Amino acid sequence: MRAIMITELKKNLQDKGLLFWMVILPILFTVLFIAIFTGNTDETTRKQVIVSIIPGYVVMFVFFIIISMVSTFNKDRDKGMTARFASTPLRPYFYMLGKWLPYMFIVFIQIFVLLLFGKIVYNVPLEQPMVLLILSIFLTFTVTAIGLATAVMVKTENMGLAITQIIALGGAMLSGLWIPHDMMPDFMQTISYFLPQFWAHQAFQDAMAGNINYSDLFQTLLILFCIGVAGFVLAIFRYPVFLKRSVT
């Protein structure tokens, strides 16, 4: 498992396309939308918009890691690597953990870099850093678990790309990452309570402002954890089907 993990991590750290999706594009979007929405506003409104946009785009763009996860699992399957690993004493869940853990590391670093960018460039408050750290860990777990489930379920990379866009962009729209949650229609607000993006975004905003309480934090962490566990369990159950499609 350790060899798989190290190999996967090195491969992804050398991928310039991943750097674009995970860091450069989120920063460009953040700068652009802050410029658009704060152009003619007073200082108080500007700060409120910035504190909403930065964690919103952090939460939205972490889901694009699913594209890379789908790609690496599909390549392993089509090149016969999955079948080869299956023929060894390595248990399936160790193989999946070896592929999964590097992406958790990458997403965590992504969140750190984007929040640091917000702090340096826009001086966003980070009033509860330990809470933000815990939230980042749980969000990382949830996102990559969803990615793991998606990776073993889809048949093609194009299908994975389409599903990622639905999850990332559709989830962002329905969770209030683009517009304030209380300005959304009632039916969209109801849907948002079932999405991890909503809970993560609200918690990040509150922790950045120093307003989050422990009961709300525990509720958010529990929801993120349960969604992540559901993704991992689904991936485990779908792995035999994924293995059958592997080239031998």
Side-chain angles (χ1 to χ4, degrees):
M1 187 186 82
R2 183 180 179 184
I4 296 174
M5 183 174 63
I6 294 173
T7 302
E8 195 67 35
L9 183 59
K10 287 182 178 179
K11 181 177 66 177
N12 280 284
L13 291 178
Q14 295 171 355
D15 185 356
K16 295 181 179 178
L18 185 64
L19 176 65
F20 173 78
W21 278 104
M22 304 303 290
V23 177
I24 298 175
L25 189 62
I27 288 176
L28 291 176
F29 266 74
T30 300
V31 172
L32 176 62
F33 277 84
I34 287 177
I36 292 172
F37 288 109
T38 64
N40 298 313
T41 60
D42 57 72
E43 186 62 23
T44 301
T45 304
R46 182 176 184 273
K47 288 182 179 179
Q48 291 175 346
V49 171
I50 291 174
V51 172
S52 176
I53 286 179
I54 288 179
Y57 279 90
V58 169
V59 173
M60 182 178 76
F61 275 99
V62 293
F63 281 87
F64 283 97
I65 194 67
I66 298 174
I67 296 174
S68 295
M69 297 182 74
V70 169
S71 177
T72 191
F73 272 85
N74 272 258
K75 287 177 180 177
D76 274 10
R77 181 196 66 196
D78 296 340
K79 291 180 179 179
M81 292 299 296
T82 304
R84 292 176 192 172
F85 282 121
S87 66
T88 69
L90 184 70
R91 294 182 179 273
Y93 50 82
F94 281 128
Y95 164 73
M96 297 180 73
L97 282 173
K99 304 289 287 187
W100 183 15
L101 291 176
Y103 290 102
M104 293 184 67
F105 174 79
I106 291 168
V107 171
F108 182 81
I109 295 299
Q110 178 193 17
I111 296 172
F112 175 81
V113 169
L114 295 180
L115 289 178
L116 183 63
F117 169 80
K119 180 63 177 178
I120 293 173
V121 177
Y122 295 103
N123 195 31
V124 295
L126 302 175
E127 297 294 335
Q128 294 176 293
M130 289 306 299
V131 173
L132 289 170
L133 174 63
I134 295 170
L135 281 169
S136 299
I137 293 171
F138 274 74
L139 178 60
T140 295
F141 169 74
T142 303
V143 170
T144 52
I146 294 172
L148 189 67
T150 304
V152 299
M153 289 178 67
V154 300
K155 294 182 179 180
T156 65
E157 289 190 33
N158 286 335
M159 186 183 296
L161 178 60
I163 291 175
T164 301
Q165 291 175 336
I166 292 171
I167 294 173
L169 302 180
M173 179 182 66
L174 293 171
S175 300
L177 273 58
W178 293 348
I179 59 175
H181 185 258
D182 55 7
M183 294 177 62
M184 294 164 52
D186 290 342
F187 79 94
M188 290 178 64
Q189 292 188 34
T190 301
I191 294 173
S192 69
Y193 294 123
F194 295 92
L195 302 175
Q197 291 97 322
F198 165 77
W199 297 99
H201 184 220
Q202 296 298 315
F204 267 102
Q205 285 188 97
D206 291 343
M208 289 170 68
N211 298 328
I212 196 168
N213 57 60
Y214 288 108
S215 61
D216 290 341
L217 174 62
F218 179 76
Q219 181 184 38
T220 297
L221 297 180
L222 180 61
I223 290 170
L224 293 177
F225 180 74
C226 288
I227 294 173
V229 169
F232 180 68
V233 171
L234 180 60
I236 291 293
F237 276 102
R238 287 290 301 181
Y239 179 77
V241 178
F242 174 78
L243 182 60
K244 288 181 180 178
R245 295 198 296 263
S246 178
V247 175
T248 57

